[in-house]
Amino acid sequence: QVQLVESGGGLVQAGGSLRLSCAASGSIFSIYIMGWYRQAPGKQRELVAVFNSGGSTNIADSVKGRFTISRDNAKNTVYLQMNSLKPEDTAVYYCRLQGRVAGPVPLYDDWGQGTQVTVSS
């Protein structure tokens, strides 16, 4: 079975930095989408930054120039380097994996448990 483990969240002051990690374990054959979404209190979950098939990325306009997504394919791990953090970045950050895995599921598409990021003024 596939498991997504997220880490790196915490409390920082405005202007500070955090680095999030998401490690996928299990029998993963192909990754189609892997990256980060976030959900602030009272708001819908939104895309932050993801890798698509072939290595292209989708990055939200609100974080361009401040956040960088990277990956280690050998470890099936993605990272989110967050710089110049703002209070409006406060949210629970979720890792998403869509791909082909061992077992009968035609397409795996699931989320990690989430990690809290809080940015204070």
Side-chain angles (χ1 to χ4, degrees), residues 46-59:
E46 64 178 359
L47 182 147
V48 178
V50 299
F51 280 105
N52 300 309
S53 298
S56 63
T57 57
N58 290 338
I59 303 174

Side-chain angles (χ1 to χ4, degrees), residues 86-106:
K86 305 174 181 179
E88 51 262 45
D89 295 317
T90 295
V92 177
Y93 284 69
Y94 296 91
C95 180
R96 180 193 180 194
L97 173 64
Q98 182 190 89
R100 298 289 182 183
V101 304
V105 181

Side-chain angles (χ1 to χ4, degrees), residues 53-121:
S53 298
S56 63
T57 57
N58 290 338
I59 303 174
D61 289 340
S62 60
V63 305
K64 285 182 179 177
R66 300 188 297 120
F67 292 8
T68 302
I69 187 169
S70 60
R71 63 184 177 183
D72 185 336
N73 289 335
K75 298 180 179 180
N76 284 331
T77 299
V78 295
Y79 308 92
L80 186 67
Q81 179 65 48
M82 305 186 294
N83 298 325
S84 302
L85 283 162
K86 305 174 181 179
E88 51 262 45
D89 295 317
T90 295
V92 177
Y93 284 69
Y94 296 91
C95 180
R96 180 193 180 194
L97 173 64
Q98 182 190 89
R100 298 289 182 183
V101 304
V105 181
L107 179 67
Y108 181 90
D109 196 344
D110 210 348
W111 307 86
Q113 80 285 349
T115 184
Q116 177 71 49
V117 172
T118 302
V119 184
S120 63
S121 301

